[in-house]
Amino acid sequence: FGLALAGCSGRGGHDGRTVLGFSQVGAESEWRTANTASIKSAAHDAGIDLRFSDAQQKQANQISAIRSFIAQRVDVIAFSPVVESGWEPVLREAKAAHIPVVLTDRAVDVSDPSLYVTLIGSDFVEEGRKAARWLLQNTPAGDGPVDIVELEGTVGSAPAIDRKKGFHEALAGHPRYQVIRSQSGDFTRAGGKEVMEAFLKAEGKRINVVFAHNDDMAIGAIQAIEEAGLRPGRDIKVISMDGVKGAFEAMMAGKLNVTVECNPLLGPQLMQAVAAIKAGKPLPRRIVVEESVYPMESAAAAFPTRKY
Ligand code: GZL
């Protein structure tokens, strides 16, 4: 009889466990791989029945996955939206089905705040400001131009929009610093390398700094800089974000100057939010993950402590 009760709402797994449907962006970067591992291990530790879908960076696949979770009548839906716009219709369907939605990592642009319970993730605008502050504090004195090229993340994604915003905002009062070219490398190593090759062809030795929205694109850019016969980290400063292992290895090799940490290990916070929802407890609209900045000089000491 107890089992029947557990399933009486037509919700939850047949064994009475909480069922969480999760739609992931894809597997485009080391950050994303670590984020997925954190979500899967935290669900396992929490005894939550996780239904996981990888959208291969396509919004249409995420929308289909969310519709499938609605059809399965899961208890909670969570997802990391690949881009900010285009979510109202499917989120209204989840609301109509009385299934609460949690956002992780990236935000959505919706007019109705009731379409999701909370957003668990980093403050990308602040991450952009941190990158600019490092540059302002680590450029040799003088008045010569500091010409920057920018490798942007996925077009229309919250991290790409907000990191750019924070970076440019923090440099606004410093005309010496100019972003002379900016283009998306879609958060991948291949994308970063390809765009950096084009920047080097177009601008050559004029480039002083690369600002990459994530470490994977920075690592691709480093390869392009070396293939052009220049020394990344010295001839061209490289500023990046995420703080994945590949970035620490590049810093220890003297090829990356700094990475602004963006913590992917939000699995436990997501499961706590799911438990709170199931228990009918209120949640803050925004749960921010804590993170710091790792310059090259700190890489060797920090590397053994890194968890992703
Ligand atoms: C940031 C996350 C970004 C990472 C990239 O929270 O959305 O997407 O910075 C990842 O590495 O692809």
Side-chain angles (χ1 to χ4, degrees):
F1 183 66
L3 272 182
L5 268 185
C8 67
S9 66
R11 284 278 162 64
H14 54 277
D15 53 6
R17 292 191 302 162
T18 298
V19 181
L20 169 64
F22 188 88
S23 168
Q24 179 61 292
V25 165
E28 73 282 1
S29 64
E30 284 184 62
W31 188 98
R32 188 65 54 197
T33 306
N35 179 244
T36 291
S38 173
I39 289 163
K40 288 183 173 176
S41 64
H44 174 268
D45 295 350
I48 283 174
D49 177 353
L50 177 67
R51 313 279 166 86
F52 184 90
S53 155
D54 173 334
Q56 294 166 338
Q57 286 193 281
K58 292 181 177 60
Q59 181 173 32
N61 292 345
Q62 290 200 286
I63 291 171
S64 310
I66 292 169
R67 289 205 165 106
S68 161
F69 297 145
I70 293 169
Q72 294 172 52
R73 301 183 61 71
V74 300
D75 293 296
V76 180
I77 290 170
F79 73 115
S80 176
V82 61
V83 293
E84 285 191 346
S85 59
W87 301 102
E88 299 253 357
V90 74
L91 292 181
R92 290 199 187 292
E93 292 167 33
K95 183 178 178 181
H98 306 294
I99 300 177
V101 173
V102 173
L103 299 181
T104 63
D105 162 29
R106 298 184 183 178
V108 295
D109 180 13
V110 293
S111 54
D112 176 356
S114 76
L115 291 178
Y116 66 89
V117 177
T118 187
L119 163 62
I120 305 169
S122 304
D123 178 346
F124 301 131
V125 178
E126 182 55 21
E127 288 176 355
R129 293 192 197 101
K130 285 177 181 176
R133 281 188 212 123
W134 179 88
L135 181 58
L136 291 169
Q137 289 157 15
N138 288 276
T139 300
D143 51 9
V146 179
D147 289 337
I148 304 158
V149 292
E150 183 176 6
L151 296 171
E152 299 182 14
T154 301
V155 176
S157 68
I161 293 166
D162 288 354
R163 284 170 178 165
K164 183 181 190 73
K165 183 173 163 208
F167 187 74
H168 289 250
E169 175 194 287
L171 290 182
H174 305 270
R176 188 179 168 204
Y177 298 80
Q178 291 296 325
V179 176
I180 58 173
R181 298 229 173 201
S182 188
Q183 190 179 327
S184 175
D186 210 19
F187 282 132
T188 65
R189 287 193 181 197
K193 181 175 185 192
E194 198 180 306
V195 173
M196 191 62 201
E197 283 165 350
F199 285 164
L200 286 162
K201 276 201 189 71
E203 298 294 348
K205 299 216 182 310
R206 180 179 170 198
I207 300 170
N208 304 114
V209 180
V210 181
F211 167 49
H213 289 187
N214 82 327
D215 294 331
D216 291 70
M217 292 192 293
I219 289 162
I222 285 166
Q223 288 165 4
I225 293 167
E226 288 180 316
E227 286 172 12
L230 296 168
R231 297 168 299 175
R234 297 164 65 101
D235 300 328
I236 297 181
K237 291 269 188 282
V238 185
I239 302 174
S240 182
M241 320 190 108
D242 281 350
V244 297
K245 277 195 172 54
F248 279 80
E249 286 155 354
M251 287 195 284
M252 290 188 285
K255 299 179 180 179
L256 177 67
N257 296 90
V258 58
T259 183
V260 175
E261 185 184 31
C262 176
N263 188 342
L265 307 181
L266 46 71
Q269 286 168 291
L270 172 57
M271 300 315 147
Q272 285 156 19
V274 170
I277 288 169
K278 285 295 287 176
K281 290 190 188 129
L283 279 171
R285 283 289 293 171
R286 188 76 176 78
I287 301 169
V288 182
V289 291
E290 291 314 312
E291 49 211 23
S292 40
V293 179
Y294 289 91
M296 184 192 280
E297 310 76 56
S298 71
F303 188 59
T305 69
R306 300 298 297 165
K307 299 192 186 77
Y308 65 94

